[in-house]
């Protein structure tokens, strides 16, 4: 979360804030961002999942920060709430539908790359 805030100039909210981790001011409006982080190691298996996304909580978009083995950020992707909910509710995957867990590749397919090293 700290890396995303530092790189993108976000304001982190206090811990345990339900639904979002940071705020970005965009055209005078507050955009609530949920931040997910995944370390991708060289030679790791495909199909890795990001942490659970609770769609009942308030958020406007989700950021996925990908990190290397040194825990340095390599890329940040952003997907809006509508795209995330659509991906989570598409029939076919128990982990996606019941636990709110998207695969990294699925998240990247619905998101926009907002930063890369």
């Amino acid at each position: 979360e700290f890396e995303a805030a530092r790189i993108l100039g976000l304001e982190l909210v206090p811990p345990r804030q339900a639904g979002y981790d940071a705020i970005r001011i965009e055209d005078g409006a507050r955009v609530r961002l949920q931040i997910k982080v995944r370390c991708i190691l060289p030679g790791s298996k495909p199909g890795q999942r990001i942490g659970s996304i609770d769609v009942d909580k308030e958020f406007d978009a989700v950021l996925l920060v990908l990190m290397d083995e040194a825990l340095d950020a390599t890329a940040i992707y952003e997907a809006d709430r509508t795209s995330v909910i659509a991906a989570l509710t598409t029939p076919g995957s128990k982990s996606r539908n019941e636990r709110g867990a998207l695969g990294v590749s699925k998240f990247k397919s619905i998101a926009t790359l907002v930063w890369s090293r």
Side-chain angles (χ1 to χ4, degrees), residues 13-14 18-19 35 38 53 60 63 69 71 82-83 107 109 112:
V13 297
I35 302 172
R38 188 75 185 157
I53 300 170
D60 300 306
L63 295 176
E69 64 275 4
L71 300 181
T82 304
S83 299
F107 188 89
S109 75
T112 302

Side-chain angles (χ1 to χ4, degrees), residues 36-38 48-53 62 64 100-104 107:
K36 300 295 180 183
V37 180
R38 188 75 185 157
Q48 294 188 42
R49 296 196 170 277
I50 62 175
S52 179
I53 300 170
V62 177
L64 172 61
L102 284 175
V104 170
F107 188 89

Side-chain angles (χ1 to χ4, degrees), residues 4-76:
R6 181 184 66 79
I7 291 167
L8 300 177
L10 307 174
E11 176 189 337
L12 290 174
V13 297
R16 307 286 180 239
Q17 174 67 43
Y20 58 99
D21 304 299
I23 294 172
R24 173 179 65 220
I25 303 300
E26 202 170 273
D27 298 325
R30 293 169 35 124
V31 178
R32 300 163 299 179
L33 302 164
Q34 195 171 128
I35 302 172
K36 300 295 180 183
V37 180
R38 188 75 185 157
C39 180
I40 307 292
L41 301 174
S44 61
K45 293 181 180 181
Q48 294 188 42
R49 296 196 170 277
I50 62 175
S52 179
I53 300 170
D54 187 350
V55 297
D56 294 329
K57 303 286 191 251
E58 293 184 15
F59 67 91
D60 300 306
V62 177
L63 295 176
L64 172 61
V65 181
L66 298 180
M67 302 183 109
D68 63 16
E69 64 275 4
L71 300 181
D72 291 324
T74 59
I76 302 175

